[in-house]
Amino acid sequence: MASTASDPHPNQPHLEPAPTGHPAYTETLPCTPESAPTARRLIRQALADDACLIANEMVANACRHTRSPLIRVSVTRLDGTRVEIAVTDRSRVLPARKPAAPDALDGRGLLLVDAIAARWGADPQRWGKRVWAEVRTG
């Protein structure tokens, strides 16, 4: 039987156009490191290149620094040249860039996001936070 919009293939992200405004794609995922490949597939289906690295770092940060059972990954086309990638979780602790030791194996995620994204930020919510980054596509 063929997969339909109401019965998506279990190994593929469910792409859901926004009902109004610019096209958007979202996926609700378990807050585990295993969600990063699914987030990358979602981003690849919407756009390519550095956006995958940004999504990977934001998902990794949510998994490492929150106790959220789920995260929400969103991709929204802002206009013809910009896309916003966002990861939403239930932690109210906002991300902060911290200097990493030269020999550290981690701790550079937000530095990478800052270097690649046109701009990024975090919006506190009553129930958690939304971390977002804008990527230029053209």
Side-chain angles (χ1 to χ4, degrees):
M1 180 190 285
S3 223
T4 65
S6 60
D7 180 28
H9 189 279
N11 294 331
Q12 294 297 319
H14 174 68
L15 296 182
E16 183 179 309
T20 60
H22 300 288
Y25 303 92
T26 64
E27 181 76 12
T28 299
L29 306 168
C31 188
T32 63
E34 291 77 20
S35 291
T38 303
R40 286 193 303 270
R41 280 193 300 274
L42 173 72
I43 304 304
R44 260 189 225 110
Q45 287 181 335
L47 62 136
D49 60 24
D50 292 337
C52 289
L53 180 57
I54 289 173
N56 190 66
E57 292 303 329
M58 291 193 311
V59 168
N61 282 346
C63 294
R64 186 173 296 123
H65 300 293
T66 74
R67 293 184 183 169
S68 294
L70 298 172
I71 55 174
R72 184 87 170 161
V73 177
S74 304
V75 181
T76 304
R77 189 167 301 282
L78 301 174
D79 58 29
T81 62
R82 296 177 306 136
V83 172
E84 179 188 78
I85 301 162
V87 174
T88 305
D89 62 58
R90 294 204 172 264
S91 171
R92 291 187 184 139
V93 178
L94 297 178
R97 284 182 302 180
K98 297 174 185 167
D103 58 346
L105 298 177
D106 60 4
R108 293 179 182 85
L110 289 178
L111 294 172
L112 287 171
V113 171
D114 192 49
I116 295 170
R119 63 189 198 117
W120 72 276
D123 300 325
Q125 306 290 325
R126 188 178 63 220
W127 40 261
K129 71 174 168 302
R130 181 175 175 274
V131 181
W132 55 269
E134 281 185 21
V135 179
R136 298 209 185 281
T137 60

